[in-house]
Amino acid sequence: TLFPPQATSFNFKDDEEREVFNLKITFLKRLLLMMAVCGVNFTAEDNGAAVRPWPYPLASTICHGGRIGFKLCGVTWREVLNFLCYQDNSGWSWDDGVPKLMYTRKAATHSVRLDLPTGRVCEVRTKSISSFDRGQMGIDMP
């Protein structure tokens, strides 16, 4: 369960820590609901074109070490993150930085690029200085 009984008796150090915890739990719930409604596919090959429906429990998609790519149609990544965080497409002003439940990452091991001949987005492993690119965000899950 995403909200175990022990969470109601946990001692937070202050109200801000409790608020961030609640935002993270709500984010997780909305993320899993979004994936359940939209569906999850996978490929056994690196950047493979042949995809099949995800055959395992949905929660296994967000286990440690996994990466999920989302194909967004008609919405921006900011609108999706605003919805997941605040249930409002304009819930956060991105000019103010990242929402308090997230942090800006200093580096990343993977990135995405557009394969021009196929028009597909492909995941690529970053190399050297390119791993310190901007635009990487993270969330420490409870």
Side-chain angles (χ1 to χ4, degrees), residues 8 18-19 22-24 26 31-32 40 42 49 51-52 56 67 69 73 76 90 95-96 102 104 115 125 127 132 137:
T8 59
R18 178 187 306 273
E19 179 187 1
N22 288 336
L23 285 171
K24 289 177 181 181
T26 303
L31 177 64
L32 288 171
V40 176
F42 80 102
V51 296
R52 300 188 311 252
Y56 307 106
R67 287 180 301 281
C73 299
T76 68
S90 59
D95 295 332
D96 297 335
M102 298 179 180
T104 303
D115 183 42
R125 188 156 180 79
K127 297 176 183 162
F132 296 98
M137 293 177 283

Side-chain angles (χ1 to χ4, degrees), residues 77-124:
W77 63 268
R78 289 179 174 180
E79 290 172 325
V80 171
L81 283 179
N82 273 337
F83 176 76
L84 293 174
C85 296
Y86 303 106
Q87 196 174 343
D88 180 357
N89 291 354
S90 59
W92 181 259
S93 170
W94 291 90
D95 295 332
D96 297 335
V98 299
K100 51 174 122 171
L101 73 152
M102 298 179 180
Y103 60 90
T104 303
R105 296 180 64 192
K106 304 290 185 225
T109 59
H110 290 77
S111 184
V112 293
R113 68 170 173 77
L114 180 61
D115 183 42
L116 293 176
T118 64
R120 295 185 58 240
V121 174
C122 297
E123 182 181 56
V124 293

